[in-house]
Coordinates of all heavy atoms in Angstrom, one line a residue:
I323 N 76.0 129.3 91.1 CA 76.1 128.3 90.0 C 75.0 127.3 90.1 O 74.6 126.7 89.0 CB 77.4 127.6 90.1 CG1 78.6 128.5 90.0 CG2 77.6 126.5 89.0 CD1 78.8 129.2 88.7
V324 N 74.4 127.0 91.2 CA 73.3 126.1 91.4 C 72.2 126.5 90.4 O 71.5 125.8 89.8 CB 72.8 125.9 92.8 CG1 71.6 124.9 92.9 CG2 73.9 125.4 93.6
S325 N 71.7 127.7 90.6 CA 70.6 128.2 89.9 C 70.9 128.4 88.4 O 70.0 128.1 87.5 CB 70.0 129.6 90.4 OG 71.2 130.6 90.3
Y326 N 72.2 128.7 88.1 CA 72.7 128.7 86.7 C 72.6 127.4 86.0 O 72.2 127.3 84.7 CB 74.0 129.3 86.6 CG 74.7 129.3 85.3 CD1 74.2 130.3 84.3 CD2 75.8 128.6 84.9 CE1 74.8 130.4 83.1 CE2 76.3 128.6 83.6 CZ 75.9 129.6 82.7 OH 76.4 129.7 81.5
L327 N 73.0 126.3 86.7 CA 73.0 125.0 86.0 C 71.9 124.1 86.5 O 71.6 123.1 85.9 CB 74.4 124.3 86.5 CG 75.6 124.8 85.8 CD1 76.9 124.1 86.4 CD2 75.6 124.9 84.4
N328 N 71.1 124.5 87.5 CA 70.0 123.6 88.0 C 68.8 123.9 87.4 O 67.8 123.3 87.8 CB 70.1 123.7 89.5 CG 69.4 122.4 90.1 OD1 69.4 121.4 89.7 ND2 68.8 122.7 91.4
A329 N 68.7 124.9 86.5 CA 67.4 125.2 86.0 C 66.9 124.0 85.1 O 67.7 123.1 84.6 CB 67.5 126.4 85.1
K330 N 65.7 124.0 84.8 CA 65.1 122.9 84.0 C 65.3 123.1 82.5 O 64.6 123.5 81.8 CB 63.7 122.8 84.2 CG 63.2 122.3 85.7 CD 61.8 122.2 85.9 CE 61.4 121.8 87.3 NZ 59.9 121.5 87.5
I331 N 66.7 122.7 82.1 CA 67.1 123.0 80.9 C 67.6 121.6 80.2 O 67.7 120.6 81.0 CB 68.3 123.9 80.8 CG1 69.5 123.5 81.8 CG2 67.9 125.4 81.2 CD1 70.7 124.3 81.7
S332 N 67.6 121.6 79.0 CA 68.0 120.4 78.3 C 69.5 120.1 78.6 O 70.3 120.9 79.0 CB 67.8 120.5 76.8 OG 68.7 121.4 76.3
A333 N 69.9 118.8 78.4 CA 71.3 118.4 78.5 C 72.2 119.3 77.6 O 73.4 119.6 78.0 CB 71.5 117.0 78.3
E334 N 71.7 119.5 76.4 CA 72.5 120.2 75.4 C 72.6 121.6 75.8 O 73.8 122.2 75.8 CB 71.7 120.3 74.0 CG 71.7 118.9 73.3 CD 70.5 118.1 73.8 OE1 69.8 118.5 74.9 OE2 70.2 117.1 73.1
E335 N 71.7 122.3 76.4 CA 71.8 123.6 76.9 C 72.7 123.7 78.2 O 73.4 124.7 78.4 CB 70.4 124.2 77.3 CG 70.4 125.6 78.0 CD 70.9 126.7 77.0 OE1 70.8 126.5 75.8 OE2 71.4 127.8 77.4
F336 N 72.6 122.6 79.0 CA 73.5 122.5 80.2 C 75.0 122.6 79.7 O 75.7 123.2 80.4 CB 73.1 121.2 81.0 CG 74.0 121.0 82.1 CD1 73.8 121.5 83.3 CD2 75.3 120.2 81.9 CE1 74.5 121.1 84.4 CE2 76.0 120.0 83.0 CZ 75.7 120.5 84.2
L337 N 75.2 121.8 78.8 CA 76.6 121.8 78.2 C 77.1 123.0 77.7 O 78.3 123.5 77.9 CB 76.9 120.6 77.2 CG 78.2 120.4 76.6 CD1 79.2 120.0 77.9 CD2 78.2 119.3 75.6
I338 N 76.2 123.7 77.1 CA 76.5 125.1 76.5 C 76.8 126.0 77.7 O 77.8 126.8 77.6 CB 75.3 125.6 75.6 CG1 75.3 124.7 74.3 CG2 75.6 127.1 75.3 CD1 74.1 125.1 73.4
R339 N 76.0 126.0 78.6 CA 76.2 127.0 79.8 C 77.6 126.5 80.6 O 78.1 127.4 81.0 CB 75.0 126.7 80.8 CG 73.7 127.3 80.2 CD 72.7 127.5 81.4 NE 71.5 128.0 80.8 CZ 70.4 128.5 81.6 NH1 70.5 128.3 82.9 NH2 69.3 128.9 81.0

Side-chain angles (χ1 to χ4, degrees):
I323 300 294
V324 175
S325 58
Y326 177 71
L327 293 177
N328 201 28
K330 293 182 179 180
I331 56 178
S332 66
E334 293 88 345
E335 178 65 21
F336 176 90
L337 183 59
I338 291 172
R339 292 192 181 193

